[in-house]
Structure formats: structure tokens, C-alpha cells
Amino acid sequence: MKPLLDVHTHTVASGHGYSTIQEMAQAAADKGLQVLGITEHGPSIPGTCGLLYFKNMFVVPRRMYGIWLLMGCEVNILDTEGSLDLNDEYLDRLDIGIAGIHLVCWQGGGVEENTRGVINAIRNPKIHIISHPGDGTAELDFEPLVLAAKESHTLLEVNNHSLAPQRHKAVARDNNLEILRLCKKHGVPTILGSDAHVSFQIADYERLRPLLAETEFPDELIMNYWPERFFDYLGIEL
């Protein structure tokens, strides 16, 4: 099936992206997408945008080149309590909230402690997606994450960018296979993430397709194919 949405992407505002919002939106339209998410890194990542960026996002049109544009943030999970680097004042301004672990600002512990922190983020009603939980930055127990995601209607992402050879994420393939198998076992939807940092990477899920084939993962559980179901499942209003 053809993907119709990609909601985890970054622009020049994140400090290490290479395209503008308009370039990203035009590329998404050219690829036939219906929905694009712009989710700049939270303030704990060096070089990213400041808090004023998230306060001022209301100025950006949410319809651009025929697609729906969601303005959000990839918020950082900071510790084993699930603390985030945006408070509710800013989270309330987001169209979509993604939360993920990044080594540069993560204070972790053992598997059980790390898993508890991510579960707390999953249960935060302002977070819709957990980014790249399988990339190996923190050692996690995936079945409790899948069950918590099912209960909270939060999506666990399988991330194409994590599988790039240049990322040197040795465990990412096996971890993402485990996440897919567990989501299939428990009937939990997932989302494919391009994690695009340049417009050409939008909706690029090619590294994930062998994993989907290996697990015989059902299309019905891949939210990228079903925009209306995506919005309804996450409770996002356009």
C-alpha cells in the first residue's frame, strides 16, 4: 500500500536538518501524501530551536500545497521518571507530540527503570507517538511498552532513519522486529517514521519494508496508510 502520511520530520530549525517547512510540504505533496508532521527537536538537543519557536507556531498555515500540516515537536524524554523537556504550556500548543530518548540528554538506568520512564511518557495524554524506541539508546523491555501503548492509544514508532548504516545502531533491526512482532501479537497499531532531515527523505520507509515482510505485519495496523483512523485513534482534531 502507498503511505499517505509521515509525521516525524525535521527542518533547518532543528539545527541539523537541511530543508525548510515549505520545501518539506512541497515534497510531501509531490509524493502524494495527505498529512505531514513537522516535529522539531525539543530544547535539550544542541542547536535546535528555542521555546519561542513553539509559542509562535500558530502563524504557520495548516493547509499547504494541498496537504494537512501538523506542527509539533519531538520532545526529549530526559530520565527514568519520564520527565520531558517541554512543559504543558508548550505541549498544549502542539498539533502532535512525539517523545523520544536521545543520548545527549538522557539520564538512564537499568532495563526496568528505563522502561518505567518510557511508559510514563506513553501515559502522558499530550504525547501521541514514542519515537524510535528500538534504536538501542536505552535498553528497554518492549512488551510492557506495547501493552501500555495499547491502553493509552499511543503509537510506538518503527524508525527508518535508525537503520541507516551511518547511524551504527547495531541492535535497531532486531529491536524493531521485536516491536513489530509484539504489536502484531497484541493487535496494537504502529507507525512508520522516516525521521526525515531533508525533503528527499520524506515517506522513505525502504529500510523498514523487509522487517514488515519478515513479520508478515498486517497493513491494517500501519497507521501511515489510514489518515482518518490515525486522527481518530490519537484524538487529534484538524
Side-chain angles (χ1 to χ4, degrees):
M1 294 184 68
K2 179 180 175 59
L4 297 176
L5 61 83
D6 185 1
V7 295
H8 181 181
T9 73
H10 301 274
T11 77
V12 290
S14 279
H16 55 281
Y18 299 93
S19 302
T20 66
I21 290 176
Q22 287 173 259
E23 289 168 340
M24 299 290 273
Q26 183 65 70
D30 291 345
K31 291 186 177 187
L33 268 61
Q34 296 179 11
V35 183
L36 175 69
I38 301 290
T39 51
E40 309 298 3
H41 283 289
S44 298
I45 298 293
T48 194
C49 42
L51 291 175
L52 184 59
Y53 174 93
F54 300 105
K55 184 173 285 190
N56 200 45
M57 289 193 306
F58 70 91
V59 305
V60 181
R62 293 329 197 246
R63 289 286 287 178
M64 196 178 291
Y65 307 117
I67 66 166
W68 287 106
L69 191 65
L70 300 177
M71 295 297 293
C73 179
E74 186 183 9
V75 186
N76 293 290
I77 304 172
L78 299 175
D79 54 37
T80 58
E81 297 303 316
S83 306
L84 305 176
D85 67 344
L86 282 185
N87 64 28
D88 284 354
E89 175 188 358
Y90 293 95
L91 292 172
D92 286 338
R93 297 173 183 270
L94 307 179
D95 300 329
I96 185 166
I98 299 178
I101 293 173
H102 297 89
L103 187 60
V104 69
C105 54
W106 164 247
Q107 298 293 319
V111 176
E112 185 175 342
E113 295 168 306
N114 296 341
T115 302
R116 180 187 66 206
V118 177
I119 286 175
N120 286 344
I122 287 171
R123 290 175 175 165
N124 186 322
K126 302 179 191 301
I127 296 301
H128 303 102
I129 296 170
I130 300 297
S131 60
H132 45 71
D135 74 356
T137 302
E139 195 173 356
L140 299 166
D141 186 354
F142 294 116
E143 189 151 28
L145 297 187
V146 169
L147 295 174
K150 182 175 185 176
E151 180 183 1
S152 300
H153 276 217
T154 305
L155 296 173
L156 299 181
E157 177 196 69
V158 285
N159 184 283
N160 190 75
H161 193 51
S162 299
L163 296 176
Q166 298 88 342
R167 300 297 310 285
H168 305 291
K169 300 286 189 181
V171 299
R173 186 180 190 279
D174 288 344
N175 283 351
N176 280 289
L177 282 170
E178 184 176 357
I179 290 168
L180 288 170
R181 290 185 179 112
L182 288 167
C183 284
K184 180 181 176 182
K185 172 184 174 182
H186 294 289
V188 181
T190 188
I191 191 161
L192 313 181
S194 73
D195 203 351
H197 284 67
V198 68
S199 61
F200 303 103
Q201 294 179 331
I202 287 174
D204 179 1
Y205 307 127
E206 289 308 305
R207 297 185 185 95
L208 299 177
R209 296 195 185 283
L211 279 62
L212 298 172
E214 184 172 337
T215 57
E216 298 182 338
F217 199 80
D219 289 342
E220 291 75 17
L221 292 179
I222 301 174
M223 284 296 195
N224 306 73
Y225 303 146
W226 316 100
E228 290 186 10
R229 191 183 302 174
F230 167 82
F231 286 116
D232 181 63
Y233 188 80
L234 297 180
I236 295 175
E237 296 184 5
L238 294 175

